Amino acid sequence: MLRLIIGLGLTLVALGLAGRRVRWLVRLASAGQPAPERVEAVRGRLGQAVRTQLVEVFGQRKLLQWSVPGAAHFVVFWAFLILGTVYLEAYGALFDEDFAIPLVGRWPVLGFAQDLIAVLALVGIVTFAVIRLRNSPARLERRSRFSGSHLGGAWLILFMIFNVIWSMFLFRGAATNTDNFPYESGAFASEAAAVGLEPLGADTNEVLETVGLLLHLAVMLAFLVIVVHSKHLHIFIAPLNVLFSRRPHGLGGLLPMRSNGKPLDFEEADPDTDVFGRGKIEDFTWKGMLDLATCTECGRCQSQCPAWNTDKPLSPKLFVLDLRDHAFAKAPYLQAAEEERASLPDQVAKEAERPLIAPLDEGGVLDPDVLWSCVSCGACVQQCPVDIEHVDHIMDMRRYQVLVESNFPTELNQLFKGLETKGNPWNMAASARMDWAKGLPFEVKQVGSDVTDLGEVEWLFWVGCAGAYEDRAKKTTRAVAELLHMAGVDFAVLGDGETCTGDPARRAGNEFVFQMLAMQNAEVLTEAKATKVVATCAHCFNTLKNEYGQLGEHSVQLEVVHHTQLLNRLVRDGRLTPVAPARGSGNGNVNAKTVTYHDPCFLGRHNQVYAPPRELLEVLPGATFTEMPRNSERSFCCGGGGARMWMEETIGQRINDNRTTEAVATGADQIAVGCPFCRVMLSDGLTAQQAAGTARDEVEVLDVAQLLLTAVRRDAEADEAQPPA
Ligand code: SF4
Ligand code: SF4
């Protein structure tokens, strides 16, 4: 009877404490903006939601991307589920010493599974301990993925799991000796514990059974209270965060601006009632708040972040933790009624007044350099095992800084001016958009002059601003045009009818300019009857593919492919045949043999296009393809995304330098790219390294299309594809 009273008493106290915390958390999340679209999305794809839970939560897919810690987490996660049956037995034993779960409670397989998973969990926590010691911030400093995480809390949780396991075996071992254990066989570890406890005698085992049972329950209840007050809250809320996350992979198009649960319409927006991006913590939606509360502090995002890895102040993990700490500290203010706020403690009032973005010595939650260091590469989102959407939050905060505060790096003024007045970031005249085609030995059809609309050809070739104006990118444009022509693909371009897709404006937070450019393009595309588009710029590709369907009544739905996808298709269909030995095009590097490939973030991680460019490089006769250590999903940005191409990079190592070093270290003669931004960034990095004598002069950066063109042409020199001097 006593153990029943103690057991139930402890349970009531723990549930009371945990329940109070859960209510506090729900009230905090409710202070955020509504996000009805998240609920609707789940309702609209219930089958996918179930599959996602099975794969991501129960299958731990993302965690298993890192095999050792992933496997350790997998067994600990499953231990939580399976050991739930042990707790069912423990509560049953409070009422009846001989309790067994109905139907399966004496099945040896269940007893075996319980013991096995408990032993594996023990191995799991030892593995975690070793990982934590080997990657300790004390040893690795900034290079540790745990740098900035709450280390004490993590050790406490490992200790609590250890307590769960030994108290379980104490209870079960003693119960075996008192004949109260439901399993006659199978529970091998409990039987081993029983053998160890048996010499203590029947009376002691009876006492130990009760002590073990109560300790086992007390540990779990203490654990519950700790969990809901700590980062291990993710144990309960990660499945929810995964359920309401963006699908299919959290990346692709940027989300449109929303206010009060509805898409924001600039023409009808009311500055008094609408939110423009995120200027205060309560401007985050409840899903945003859920993101902040779900972070496990694992640091996987941080370990892959190009900004953090080049000594900039941005770490996606610390970004989330700083926002979370601020949200929690401001919670009493957010939860209080208007009239109660004046009587809140000074500390809370002070927290409520902190600007979200401001230098830290001015009380900012995040320094502006944190916000503007992001290259929107998506590595953090791709890595995060609980589907936190860092990039969306960063972009929403940039939107507020640009649209409301007019507070952004001064270099962006030039960008915005070029986009607003000339429709391109280079501030060049629209009349120069076709200069890239001068001197080509065939005619490039233009909509409006050579064809009435795109119904007369198969493809629209979207040239992009870089492809039209930037000298290095123009070589890619010419190479693609020549390859399409050689393969007999009927295509046309928009010429001066094309303007910037708006990607740089959008990633810089200027949604207003993005909308303006996107609508202008959408109108042109609709009028030209565009349906199938090929683009050489990964940013144009992403925007046309994923973001032009978000323009309300102006939306255009297009089949958009990257040039490497279309060229790969043409090679497979035998319409292009690489036959000549691979050669360089610019440096007389005729004996080039080894080629490596840099994944553009907006092609790879954002759109999952990894194979086509590699397949093209692998069929180049005479060339050996070699991967960089960081490739495909774990590729490292060139430093040009997130509108960083138009900002100065003054903090830490230059990202393009970091990536170029890696490419050069492969020993490759040619660094292949699939995006003009990457090409500019890596070419600049290479030029600097060649000047410094750290890279061979023969190494060159080329687009995949140029390499293919060189291999496809039998007689002509690749240089014919270059613009006239
Ligand atoms: S998107 Fe890339 S640069 Fe930005 S925080 Fe994530 S990993 Fe870092
Ligand atoms: S944001 Fe995701 S990946 Fe980064 S530390 Fe938190 S849980 Fe880990």
Side-chain angles (χ1 to χ4, degrees):
M1 190 53 163
L2 185 61
R3 74 183 194 178
L4 177 63
I5 293 170
I6 297 174
L8 291 186
L10 288 174
T11 305
L12 283 178
V13 172
L15 287 182
L17 291 172
R20 207 174 62 166
R21 178 68 171 180
V22 170
R23 189 168 158 265
W24 185 89
L25 289 165
V26 170
R27 286 180 62 208
L28 174 59
S30 310
Q33 285 270 307
E37 76 285 1
R38 299 291 180 141
V39 182
E40 281 156 25
V42 173
R43 273 205 206 110
R45 50 173 170 78
L46 275 179
Q48 195 198 14
V50 173
R51 261 197 315 279
T52 304
Q53 291 291 311
L54 292 176
V55 174
E56 304 291 344
V57 179
F58 294 99
Q60 307 263 286
R61 182 188 68 88
K62 276 194 168 178
L63 281 148
L64 288 167
Q65 289 183 136
W66 292 33
S67 39
V68 175
H73 196 277
F74 185 88
V75 292
V76 172
F77 168 80
W78 274 94
F80 269 97
L81 298 185
I82 295 174
L83 296 186
T85 58
V86 174
Y87 276 105
L88 194 56
E89 289 168 351
Y91 273 101
L94 283 179
F95 295 89
D96 173 5
E97 288 176 344
D98 287 327
F99 176 81
I101 299 172
L103 302 178
V104 293
R106 297 187 190 280
W107 191 32
V109 173
L110 181 58
F112 174 76
Q114 291 168 334
D115 277 18
L116 178 66
I117 202 71
V119 171
L120 289 177
L122 208 49
V123 176
I125 59 171
V126 172
T127 310
F128 280 139
V130 172
I131 290 171
R132 285 196 165 265
L133 290 172
R134 289 182 58 182
N135 293 284
S136 142
R139 278 187 66 211
L140 302 181
E141 297 177 346
R142 192 181 166 96
R143 296 289 166 252
S144 163
R145 70 182 166 104
F146 301 118
S147 164
S149 299
H150 293 92
L151 304 176
W155 284 109
L156 175 64
I157 294 296
L158 293 184
F159 179 61
M160 292 306 288
I161 299 173
F162 171 69
N163 289 334
V164 165
I165 295 167
W166 73 255
S167 61
M168 164 184 158
F169 287 126
L170 176 65
F171 157 55
R172 284 160 73 97
T176 305
N177 291 334
T178 56
D179 286 337
N180 289 329
F181 193 49
Y183 306 98
E184 282 185 9
S185 63
F188 63 97
S190 301
E191 283 163 19
V195 171
L197 295 172
E198 198 176 14
L200 299 175
D203 290 348
T204 309
N205 268 283
E206 232 168 78
V207 174
L208 285 178
E209 183 192 345
T210 299
V211 170
L213 170 64
L214 291 177
L215 272 176
H216 191 49
L217 290 176
V219 166
M220 180 272 287
L221 293 168
F223 199 1
L224 173 70
V225 175
I226 293 171
V227 160
V228 294
H229 286 83
S230 74
K231 73 167 187 118
H232 277 79
L233 194 55
H234 78 267
I235 294 173
F236 299 118
I237 61 177
L240 275 184
N241 210 44
V242 170
L243 179 69
F244 292 111
S245 66
R246 291 228 248 153
R247 291 284 137 199
H249 51 79
L251 285 165
L254 199 57
L255 294 180
M257 285 176 74
R258 298 182 73 92
S259 168
N260 299 315
K262 291 194 284 262
L264 187 77
D265 181 336
F266 280 108
E267 279 174 23
E268 290 174 12
D270 178 348
D272 293 330
T273 53
D274 280 308
V275 297
F276 292 81
R278 309 281 177 257
K280 314 184 281 306
I281 198 71
E282 58 269 37
D283 289 347
F284 283 70
T285 65
W286 59 260
K287 170 61 177 68
M289 300 269 195
L290 191 61
D291 269 3
L292 304 183
T294 310
C295 179
T296 69
E297 304 186 19
C298 68
R300 288 169 188 238
C301 55
Q302 179 173 289
S303 73
Q304 307 294 310
C305 174
W308 183 256
N309 277 293
T310 52
D311 297 329
K312 297 180 177 53
L314 168 65
S315 143
K317 177 184 74 180
L318 300 180
F319 168 84
V320 169
L321 297 191
D322 287 344
L323 287 173
R324 181 180 72 188
D325 290 348
H326 172 61
F328 282 12
K330 193 176 175 182
Y333 175 88
L334 298 174
Q335 294 163 342
E338 196 72 45
E339 60 279 9
E340 293 165 3
R341 287 181 172 169
S343 55
L344 287 169
D346 282 356
Q347 202 187 336
V348 175
K350 234 169 139 190
E351 190 71 36
E353 281 167 16
R354 285 179 76 192
L356 220 44
I357 300 294
L360 299 186
D361 55 8
E362 290 173 24
V365 176
L366 297 167
D367 192 273
D369 282 331
V370 168
L371 187 68
W372 294 103
S373 290
C374 178
V375 288
S376 69
C377 68
C380 46
V381 179
Q382 193 278 329
Q383 279 292 316
C384 183
V386 291
D387 284 356
I388 289 170
E389 296 160 355
H390 319 69
V391 178
D392 294 337
H393 301 316
I394 290 171
M395 293 303 146
D396 270 333
M397 290 169 78
R398 284 188 180 181
R399 284 164 167 170
Y400 181 84
Q401 292 302 311
V402 171
L403 300 174
V404 179
E405 300 283 343
S406 269
N407 185 10
F408 48 82
T410 47
E411 312 91 273
L412 290 178
N413 278 315
Q414 258 323 89
L415 169 71
F416 295 154
K417 187 170 159 234
L419 292 173
E420 276 179 75
T421 56
K422 300 276 178 58
N424 69 82
W426 277 270
N427 217 352
M428 302 271 282
S431 55
R433 274 205 177 258
M434 286 304 291
D435 285 0
W436 64 269
K438 283 182 185 161
L440 278 177
F442 56 91
E443 184 198 12
V444 176
K445 291 178 194 166
Q446 205 177 319
V447 176
S449 50
D450 304 302
V451 292
T452 315
D453 60 51
L454 292 158
E456 294 175 38
V457 294
E458 194 184 355
W459 290 93
L460 165 65
F461 178 16
W462 183 272
V463 175
C465 302
Y469 298 121
E470 207 284 325
D471 283 344
R472 288 162 285 189
K474 277 200 246 180
K475 295 177 183 176
T476 306
T477 314
R478 289 170 68 86
V480 172
E482 195 162 342
L483 285 162
L484 295 181
H485 176 71
M486 282 169 131
V489 174
D490 204 7
F491 70 94
V493 298
L494 291 173
D496 59 6
E498 192 184 295
T499 50
C500 174
T501 55
D503 164 85
R506 198 169 212 205
R507 265 71 198 175
N510 200 335
E511 186 73 4
F512 184 77
V513 169
F514 165 74
Q515 294 279 337
M516 187 187 86
L517 294 167
M519 293 211 192
Q520 191 177 328
N521 277 323
E523 202 176 306
V524 171
L525 288 163
T526 307
E527 216 168 277
K529 300 197 174 83
T531 52
K532 290 168 72 172
V533 184
V534 55
T536 56
C537 170
H539 298 264
C540 295
F541 165 75
N542 179 63
T543 307
L544 292 167
K545 183 172 187 282
N546 299 315
E547 300 182 354
Y548 275 23
Q550 302 172 346
L551 303 172
E553 60 191 55
H554 304 280
S555 289
V556 273
Q557 303 295 343
L558 304 162
E559 177 194 338
V560 187
V561 298
H562 188 246
H563 67 289
T564 56
Q565 292 176 296
L566 181 56
L567 295 177
N568 194 34
R569 215 182 286 168
L570 295 172
V571 169
R572 281 165 174 254
D573 292 349
R575 292 169 70 180
L576 289 173
T577 312
V579 287
R583 291 176 300 185
S585 65
N587 298 343
N589 180 21
V590 293
N591 294 315
K593 286 278 187 285
T594 311
V595 56
T596 190
Y597 174 67
H598 164 80
D599 288 274
C601 302
F602 279 77
L603 183 65
R605 258 191 307 267
H606 285 260
N607 285 290
Q608 314 291 298
V609 179
Y610 298 113
R614 287 181 167 75
E615 285 169 11
L616 281 174
L617 295 173
E618 278 162 5
V619 298
L620 293 180
T624 309
F625 178 63
T626 179
E627 287 281 16
M628 284 188 248
R630 294 176 293 189
N631 65 72
S632 307
E633 287 189 331
R634 290 212 201 164
S635 182
F636 194 79
C637 182
C638 67
R644 289 287 331 169
M645 173 108 162
W646 289 274
M647 293 182 234
E648 297 295 335
E649 192 174 340
T650 52
I651 306 174
Q653 184 192 18
R654 291 180 65 84
I655 294 175
N656 64 342
D657 182 44
N658 185 300
R659 184 57 163 169
T660 308
T661 302
E662 185 178 5
V664 168
T666 62
D669 304 289
Q670 293 165 325
I671 303 165
V673 294
C675 171
F677 287 20
C678 302
R679 182 170 184 160
V680 168
M681 299 307 287
L682 294 183
S683 299
D684 288 352
L686 184 63
T687 306
Q689 296 203 2
Q690 285 170 333
T694 50
R696 287 181 294 127
D697 287 345
E698 296 77 26
V699 181
E700 55 188 345
V701 178
L702 295 165
D703 191 277
V704 175
Q706 283 179 286
L707 288 165
L708 180 66
L709 178 63
T710 313
V712 166
R713 282 164 152 189
R714 277 171 197 271
D715 311 316
E717 284 297 322
D719 285 357
E720 281 178 21
Q722 308 312 314

